[in-house]
Every structure is written in C-alpha cells, then in structure tokens.
Amino acid sequence: MPTITFYGAAQEVTGSCHLVSSSSLGDVLLDCGMHQGMRAKHLISKEQFSFNPNSIDMVILSHAHLDHSGRLPCLVHEGFVGPIYCTEATAQLLPIMLFDALSLYENDLRRENRKRSRKGLADIEAQYNKEDVLSVLECLKPLPYKQQINIGNGALLRFYDAGHILGSAIVELTLDESGKQKTLVFSGDLGNSDTVLMNDPVFLEEADIVLMEGTYGDREHKSLGDTQKQLQEILHDAFARGGNVMIPAFAVGRTQELLLYLGKLQQAGQLDNWQVFLDSPMAIEVTSVYDQWLPDLDCEGIKKLCTGEQTLLENFLSTLHLMVDAEDSMAINTISRGALIIAGSGMCTGGRITHHFKHRIWDSRNTVIFVGYQANGTLGRILVDGAQHVKLFGDDIIVKANIETLNGFSAHAGQAALIEWIRHFKTNPKVVLVHGEPDALEVLACKLKQEHGIQAEIPILGDTIEF
C-alpha cells in the first residue's frame, strides 16, 4: 500500500516536502522547499534531510516559490540524480529563483564564517554550490498543463493550473499497485480566484487521497474591488502627507499583480503622481518571464491591457523605474517624497526592502503596505503584529511609519474557495491538510467536518499516512 511521509509544511506554512513511497514507483518527493527565512545559520547542519537523498527516484515540483523548490540544490548535492518534473513556466522561473537564493546563501555563509574566524572556529562548508544549481536545471522535465505522461511502471502524472503564480500546478499522480490504480492529488498552493492576472484553479473530481494546502483555512480575503479601493485610499493619504510608500513583495506573483493594479489605477487617473520603483533585479527578470506568458494568463485581466507593444514592464505604467544595480537602489534614498518602492523580500527576511526600512521606517510620513502572508518569526510578521522597535543591521530603530495590510491581494485561496475546491471531488477521497499554521488548519478541518461531512487529517512532521 502506498504511503506519504511529511517532511515539511506539516502544521507550518513553509518548507513543503512530502515523500510518496510505493512498490511500483519507488520514492517520489512532492516538492523540496526551504523554510521561509532560512539563512546560513540554519544551513550548517550536516544532515539536511530526514531521509536519504540517494533513495529518491524522482521529484514532482508544484511551483517555483522557494518554500517549495529551494532545497533542490541541497538534494542534488547529497546524491539525488533523478528527474524533476514541473510545468514549462516553472522551468523558466527556477534558474532565476535558485541562483538568487544561492547568492544570498553564499553571502550569509561568508558573513557567518567571518564571525567564526574571529572566534577561532573552523569555517562552515557550503551545503551546495553553483554546480548543484546547474545540476538541478539539467534534471528538469517540463510538461504542459493537462498532458498526462507515463513516468514509469504504469504511473501517470498530470499537471493542472493551480492559479497561484505563473506555472503553479495541481499535481495528479496515479500509481499502479498490483494492477489496482491509486490516485493522489496534491493541491500545491491554490490561487485566489478573485484576481485579474492568474487563471482560476482547476477543479478535479477523482482521487483516493488529496493533500490540500490550508494557509488561509481560518479566514476570508476582502474582495478585489474593496482591496483596490483600500490601496487607492492608502496611497492617496500617503501622497497627501508628503511621504513615501514601501511594499515588500515576493518577486514571483505578487510583484506582477501589483504592477497590474497600479497600472489600472494610473490609467483611471487615480494614482496621484507616484514614481514607482521596482527595486529588485530578480523581480524584473521574473516579470520579463511573465510577459512572455501573458496570452495564457487571465483573459479579462490581461488581454485588454497588455497587447502589442504593451507589457507589464513596457509602456503600461508610465512612471515605472526599473532599479537593477545597487547604486540605483541607494539613489532612491535621496528622494524625499512621492516614491513608491516595491522590493523584496516579501516577508522582509532580507533583501533591499530592509535597507529601505532602515532609511524610512522611523518617519511617520511614510507607509509600509503588506500585500502577502507574513509567516511567524519573520520581520514582516513582527511589524504586522505592531512592533514599535525593530533591529536592522545591528541598530535598534523606532517604527513610526504607518503599517497597512491588504489581504485581498493574496495569491492563496481563502477558506470558502478551499472548501469549494475540495467539495468538487466525487470519490470521497481521504483528505489531508498541509501548508498552514495549526490554528488555521484546525478551523478548516472543523468547518469541513461540521458543515460538509468531510473528515480531514492534519499530520505533524514525520507522520506517515497510507492510502
């Protein structure tokens, strides 16, 4: 009987990693993600995995976000040599994601080793390197949506659009166990249907077991219309105060949505005179990939706006400035008012946004707008929870900027959408909730049981479930 063992994103929001074991196909890893905010000090352990990477026969990747893909180079470094199946767009995004993560990791490692050297301690060896990233990319086996392929011994794999970010997939894996078929569906991260950029998640009807994310299992998002209005009001008030706006945004997904919304506001004459700075080389590169796929994204949101010579990066938002070099980023500090800065990282665990905080978060004229989920323990969550002081680059800095949160821009499905998605299954599958904090998953499980008669399991790290 096939089993699933949970090695990440079990009662936590990041680190997606689930091991499917079967007699027919061997050991298959669904995602191999890092924990959000994982830096050098968390990558010094000699044992990165609770399983033997040599024993993994293949990886099936739901999408390119690092909390689903970030440990693939470590997996390769420790002996994995099999195929990595993903969608075509994910294969385009992964080089950008993984090389950026490598650069951050190597910088952190050098910093950590300098501290150790001063204490007379030996250097920490790198857990992976550029060659490992290149090996990951060589292992990729891109597939278009809805095309079913045989991946060995009668096992079938198919991807469906999850509507979360470009290339995000719902995984359908069908195993042939002694002539009997068993189908596993893994939601990956399900998108929010109330957006104007991504397609809606695809509904499936048949499975023996479903692994479903529950990031927002305990709440709903504001409607897109209300959220856009709220954004417009926040920006208008900030402009009237003579301040600047800082938006921490993930380079993949959230940044592209923001550019689209800002462009729509500008075209409606509702953006005041903000100068928009996309201060992230990674986000710029990712957006160029999005531009290639615009015809395949949401029809209503995109095709009327991005046609011909117009894309998210060109001829759409006239006040958009692309800041690639560090010198470009630092030059923004000289602007006293009217700068709207979009920079990573999305949860403020590093990146250029933290430098902008250092220069501006102490000024009450300024505003920070959070447009995505902030995981426990991140600087973003600390600010959302109302911190009055934060530690930045060794300095204690007072927080006087206005802190705003716009949950309606979330790239994750809210509670009602999650329930609607799981209720489309007609085969009464076993339901397992992953990728959510304990309280959110408990609320979702109770709602499913009490109102819809669906019994859901909530595994902890290391649990194994048969199906």
Side-chain angles (χ1 to χ4, degrees):
M1 182 173 287
T3 63
I4 307 173
T5 304
F6 301 90
Y7 290 110
Q11 299 195 33
E12 57 185 345
V13 172
T14 60
S16 181
C17 187
H18 315 296
L19 179 60
V20 180
S21 299
S22 68
S23 59
S24 61
L25 198 58
D27 290 336
V28 178
L29 212 56
L30 300 176
D31 287 347
C32 190
M34 66 192 304
H35 289 82
Q36 197 67 45
M38 182 182 285
R39 309 299 292 264
K41 63 183 179 181
H42 299 297
L43 286 172
I44 62 176
S45 168
K46 291 184 178 179
E47 185 177 355
Q48 285 297 309
F49 300 100
S50 299
F51 51 84
N52 181 5
N54 281 296
S55 71
I56 305 299
D57 296 289
M58 64 185 69
V59 176
I60 300 174
L61 188 62
S62 66
H63 64 286
H65 273 153
L66 289 176
D67 62 328
H68 293 256
S69 69
R71 287 201 296 166
L72 286 171
C74 291
L75 191 76
V76 167
H77 188 87
E78 297 194 22
F80 171 76
V81 294
I84 301 171
Y85 294 98
C86 63
T87 65
E88 295 168 307
T90 295
Q92 284 185 261
L93 292 173
L94 272 178
I96 304 171
M97 304 292 288
L98 296 181
F99 278 118
D100 183 78
L102 174 65
S103 177
L104 292 174
Y105 170 60
E106 289 179 334
N107 287 338
D108 283 350
L109 193 60
R110 281 193 290 269
R111 192 176 300 114
E112 192 78 13
N113 280 335
R114 282 197 295 270
K115 293 179 184 177
R116 293 173 65 87
S117 179
R118 288 194 291 267
K119 297 176 182 179
L121 300 173
D123 282 357
I124 302 165
E125 291 186 13
Q127 294 298 306
Y128 74 100
N129 52 40
K130 179 181 178 180
E131 286 68 31
D132 296 317
V133 174
L134 292 171
S135 294
V136 168
L137 301 180
E138 290 174 359
C139 291
L140 296 182
K141 304 291 183 184
L143 299 176
Y145 287 127
K146 296 184 179 180
Q147 178 180 313
Q148 189 177 59
I149 67 163
N150 190 321
I151 55 175
N153 295 325
L156 303 174
L157 172 65
R158 180 158 42 194
F159 292 126
Y160 296 91
D161 195 342
H164 174 59
I165 64 167
L166 181 66
S168 60
I170 299 164
V171 176
E172 180 188 74
L173 176 63
T174 301
L175 303 172
D176 187 342
E177 295 290 293
S178 302
K180 184 177 181 181
Q181 287 194 331
K182 291 286 185 75
T183 298
L184 176 152
V185 169
F186 172 42
S187 72
D189 285 352
L190 292 173
N192 181 2
S193 59
D194 194 11
T195 70
V196 293
L197 180 59
M198 301 307 301
N199 296 310
D200 291 349
V202 172
F203 292 115
L204 303 184
E205 297 183 350
E206 297 183 1
D208 294 288
I209 185 169
V210 178
L211 273 62
M212 184 176 76
E213 68 117 322
T215 308
Y216 286 97
D218 59 345
R219 73 197 88 166
E220 296 295 350
H221 306 305
K222 283 188 177 180
S223 72
L224 179 60
D226 289 344
T227 302
Q228 287 178 311
K229 183 179 179 181
Q230 187 182 0
L231 174 63
Q232 178 190 342
E233 291 172 351
I234 292 170
L235 292 178
H236 184 70
D237 290 346
F239 198 83
R241 283 196 307 272
N244 303 278
V245 167
M246 296 165 281
I247 306 181
F250 294 106
V252 184
R254 199 59 41 81
T255 292
Q256 292 73 38
E257 294 273 357
L258 278 169
L259 293 177
L260 183 59
Y261 298 139
L262 292 171
K264 287 165 66 70
L265 284 175
Q266 186 188 67
Q267 292 178 15
Q270 299 170 340
L271 193 59
D272 292 312
N273 195 31
W274 286 105
Q275 297 298 304
V276 181
F277 297 92
L278 181 51
D279 189 20
S280 167
M282 180 181 172
I284 294 167
E285 195 172 359
V286 166
T287 306
S288 70
V289 176
Y290 267 73
D291 283 347
Q292 298 172 34
W293 288 88
L294 289 180
D296 296 286
L297 298 179
D298 185 87
C299 296
E300 295 303 315
I302 283 295
K303 291 182 180 176
K304 293 179 182 177
L305 295 171
C306 297
T307 58
E309 297 301 313
Q310 199 175 56
T311 68
L312 292 174
L313 286 182
E314 294 187 9
N315 307 319
F316 178 55
L317 179 56
S318 66
T319 57
L320 177 65
H321 306 275
L322 306 180
M323 315 306 280
V324 177
D325 298 329
E327 292 77 10
D328 296 333
S329 179
M330 288 186 285
I332 303 173
N333 297 330
T334 64
I335 299 173
S336 61
R337 59 176 295 170
L340 193 162
I341 307 159
I342 303 171
S345 68
M347 294 189 190
C348 313
T349 54
R352 292 183 178 181
I353 195 66
T354 55
H355 292 273
H356 293 298
F357 282 175
K358 181 179 179 180
H359 286 277
R360 302 185 189 272
I361 205 167
W362 45 264
D363 189 335
S364 61
R365 296 175 302 165
N366 295 330
T367 300
V368 179
I369 305 176
F370 288 98
V371 293
Y373 189 87
Q374 303 299 308
N376 276 330
T378 62
L379 176 58
R381 172 63 75 88
I382 291 169
L383 288 169
V384 167
D385 287 345
Q388 296 181 341
H389 295 262
V390 293
K391 201 85 168 177
L392 289 169
F393 305 101
D395 296 327
D396 185 63
I397 298 178
I398 192 169
V399 178
K400 288 189 176 180
N402 299 276
I403 307 297
E404 303 281 357
T405 302
L406 296 179
N407 285 327
F409 285 142
S410 176
H412 286 268
Q415 184 191 75
L418 291 169
I419 291 172
E420 182 185 12
W421 187 79
I422 199 67
R423 288 188 67 205
H424 271 75
F425 287 92
K426 297 179 178 179
T427 52
N428 193 30
K430 181 177 290 190
V431 176
V432 182
L433 301 181
V434 295
H435 209 281
E437 292 179 0
D439 290 348
L441 299 183
E442 285 289 351
V443 170
L444 180 58
C446 288
K447 188 97 170 176
L448 286 171
K449 183 178 181 180
Q450 293 173 2
E451 297 187 12
H452 307 285
I454 298 174
Q455 184 74 42
E457 297 185 42
I458 304 175
I460 63 173
L461 286 175
D463 274 359
T464 297
I465 293 176
E466 294 183 341
F467 68 99

